[in-house]
């Protein structure tokens, strides 16, 4: 039996999956690493921590019972997006990596908007947000000039790990799309953006397709991992692109709903010219010459975790949600807006805060719990609504993450999205997508779609219920009014938050 490895480099840990030709996960290993928050809003990691953790995870997989090193043919990656790794002339990091969830760069985002104007969305297809890479580059140049002077090249997190394993520097299109330096439709580094900020083209690594072969393992890495130096290494992709691949989102009409700490609605897109006016993200897919549009809810599963911690700290999630299916759609006229940490889509507003609307004396805790679940799903439906408003078809949604673990929530998604919702038999997220890129790169399949037919298996399916659909349509329109009605009040309340 032959195997490939999918490596998912996350924010808190790296997870490696060993997958066979049937799409079966034969073994998995993970290692965590620390986050550093030196100041409020800062979020950093040490790139060498990623490398060490990845080598340890690979070594554990190579030691799996009954599996020989020569059976592992290829490796590919999924990586946390946007994180800035600056390298010197010897390709060593000049400082810690600045991560996607670092918020220090508001000043630089406004600079980007002033400098590029309408060109920003026309070229990069995304607004200037603190999480993206270019604002981080400008921040380092402004506030750490000595570190920036040493920097000759930038890469993203998984690209640095891949470099450490192979000695080769590249970046794939799906990850490059989150830098604000890529001409997304043209699939090249933007000369206009680089020139506008005085950055040389040599500052950007060579671009490659996600399934592209970029090298083999260095001899010393092969020795440390227990793998062969001939093991093929493929570029990989951004975590959301790999998550889409791992869920089989590889053709028009398929949409992904992912409810983790944050929430994502991701729709496959063939048309490179589709214009969402920056209201949702538009990135290159891990599938060649394809794209995806993506809306984000910042506090999706986090909202339910907050509710549990605050109102049911000594209960499990199952205990807290017992009976939630018996509460009718609409939670007795109670609406929750999940703006606990601000919002991303369609309101890029870090200051807005959550609210319960319509509370009366008849409501019990279970109504509030259902309202939180519905509010999270309403927020995700904002993205579905935006997709449909520009002519996209959203009729089948693959649901993954915490929202796919609860049948009531799956049915709720079907009713609010007014679409068929399906769960997966063996959900492995971005790590499986990375393994599929390696399998495709190794020639096991003639397309990612053929790989998905073998690797991605649908489980239960949920159809929208007409009565619930109508109820939720009315409530969703009310939900959409809450942001505008409460925005001013939230701005006034900032001074009282302490």
């Amino acid at each position: 039996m032959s195997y490939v490895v999918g490596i998912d480099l996350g924010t808190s840990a790296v997870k490696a999956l060993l997958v066979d030709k049937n799409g079966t996960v034969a073994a998995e290993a993970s290692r965590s690493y620390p986050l550093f928050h030196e100041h409020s809003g800062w979020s950093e990691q040490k790139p060498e921590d990623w490398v060490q953790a990845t080598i340890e995870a690979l070594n554990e997989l190579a030691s799996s019972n009954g599996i020989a090193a020569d059976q592992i043919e290829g490796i590919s990656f999924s990586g946390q997006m946007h994180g800035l790794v600056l390298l010197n002339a010897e390709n060593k990091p000049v400082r810690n990596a600045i991560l996607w969830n670092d918020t220090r760069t508001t000043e630089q985002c406004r600079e980007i908007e002033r400098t590029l104007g309408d060109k920003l969305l026309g070229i990069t297809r995304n607004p200037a947000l603190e999480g993206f890479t270019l604002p981080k580059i400008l921040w380092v140049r402004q506030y750490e000039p000595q570190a920036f002077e040493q920097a000759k090249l930038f890469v993203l997190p998984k690209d640095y790990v891949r470099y450490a394993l192979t000695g080769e520097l590249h970046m794939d299109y799906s990850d490059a799309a989150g830098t604000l330096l890529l001409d997304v439709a043209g699939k090249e580094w933007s000369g206009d953006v680089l020139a506008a900020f005085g950055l040389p083209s040599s500052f950007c690594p060579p671009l490659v397709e996600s399934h592209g072969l970029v090298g083999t393992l260095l001899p010393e890495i092969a020795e440390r991992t227990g793998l062969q130096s001939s093991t093929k290494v493929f570029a990989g992709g951004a975590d959301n692109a790999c998550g889409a691949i791992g869920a089989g989102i590889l053709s028009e009409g398929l949409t992904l709903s992912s409810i983790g700490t944050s929430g994502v609605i991701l729709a496959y897109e063939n048309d490179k010219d589709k214009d969402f006016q920056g209201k949702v993200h538009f990135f290159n897919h891990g599938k060649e010459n394809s794209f995806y549009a993506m809306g984000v809810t910042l506090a999706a599963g986090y909202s339910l975790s907050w509710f549990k911690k605050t109102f049911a700290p000594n209960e499990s999630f199952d205990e807290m949600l017992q009976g939630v299916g018996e509460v009718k759609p609409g939670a007795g006229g109670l609406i929750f807006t999940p703006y606990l940490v601000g919002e991303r889509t369609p309101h890029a507003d870090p200051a807005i805060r959550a609210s319960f609307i319509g509370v009366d004396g008849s409501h019990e805790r279970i109504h509030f719990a259902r309202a939180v679940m519905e509010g999270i799903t309403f927020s995700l439906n904002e993205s579905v609504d935006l997709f449909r408003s520009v002519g996209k078809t959203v009729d089948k949604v693959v649901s993954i993450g915490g929202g796919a673990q609860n049948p009531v929530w799956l049915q709720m998604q079907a009713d609010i999205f007014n679409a068929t919702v399906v769960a997966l038999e063996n959900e492995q997220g971005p790590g499986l997508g990375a393994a599929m890129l390696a399998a495709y790169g190794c020639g096991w399949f003639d397309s990612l779609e053929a790989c998905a037919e073998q690797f991605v298996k649908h489980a239960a399916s949920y159809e929208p219920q007409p009565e619930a659909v109508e109820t939720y349509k009315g409530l969703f329109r009310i939900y959409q009014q809450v942001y505008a009605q409460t925005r001013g009040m939230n701005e006034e309340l900032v001074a009282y938050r302490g």
Side-chain angles (χ1 to χ4, degrees), residues 137-325:
I137 293 171
L138 300 182
W139 186 93
V140 175
R141 182 165 69 179
Q142 180 175 350
Y143 291 104
E144 297 180 355
Q146 290 182 326
F148 190 79
E149 181 65 26
Q150 298 176 54
K152 303 303 179 185
L153 184 85
F154 88 97
V155 291
L156 300 177
K158 75 169 192 329
D159 303 316
Y160 181 73
V161 173
R162 194 181 58 244
Y163 163 73
L165 268 56
T166 65
E168 301 290 340
L169 282 165
H170 297 86
M171 189 181 297
D172 74 285
Y173 294 104
S174 70
D175 232 354
T179 64
L180 291 183
L181 287 165
L182 186 76
D183 178 342
V184 169
K187 295 179 65 178
E188 61 183 7
W189 295 117
S190 170
D192 286 346
V193 176
L194 289 168
F197 297 101
L199 298 170
S201 59
S202 60
F203 197 68
C204 304
L207 292 164
V208 66
E209 297 291 347
S210 289
H211 66 275
L213 176 66
V214 296
T216 56
L217 293 179
L218 293 167
E220 60 268 31
I221 297 298
E223 184 176 351
R224 292 176 65 188
T225 59
L227 299 173
Q228 293 194 325
S229 59
S230 59
T231 306
K232 297 176 182 177
V233 180
F234 301 92
D239 52 6
N240 286 308
C242 287
I245 293 170
I249 310 299
L250 295 165
S251 61
E252 289 280 0
L254 286 177
T255 301
L256 177 70
S257 170
S258 174
I259 301 177
T261 301
S262 60
V264 166
I265 292 290
L266 184 155
Y268 179 91
E269 180 59 63
N270 268 327
D271 183 3
K272 67 180 181 181
D273 297 318
K274 183 65 68 71
D275 186 7
F276 294 95
Q277 300 178 332
K279 293 181 179 178
V280 295
H281 298 304
F282 190 81
F283 294 133
N284 302 78
H285 203 307
K287 175 186 170 183
E288 189 172 1
N289 296 323
S290 301
F291 306 85
Y292 64 91
M294 183 181 76
V296 177
T297 294
L298 289 181
Y302 176 71
S303 291
L304 197 62
S305 297
W306 162 81
F307 185 82
K308 177 186 177 300
K309 179 183 70 175
T310 306
F311 299 105
N314 299 317
E315 298 178 25
S316 67
F317 279 101
D318 287 343
E319 290 170 332
M320 182 184 74
L321 297 178
Q322 188 173 0
V324 73

Side-chain angles (χ1 to χ4, degrees), residues 328-345:
K328 292 182 179 180
L334 184 61
I335 288 179
F336 172 73
T337 59
Y339 306 146
L340 289 171
V341 293
E343 192 52 300
R344 176 72 62 83
T345 306

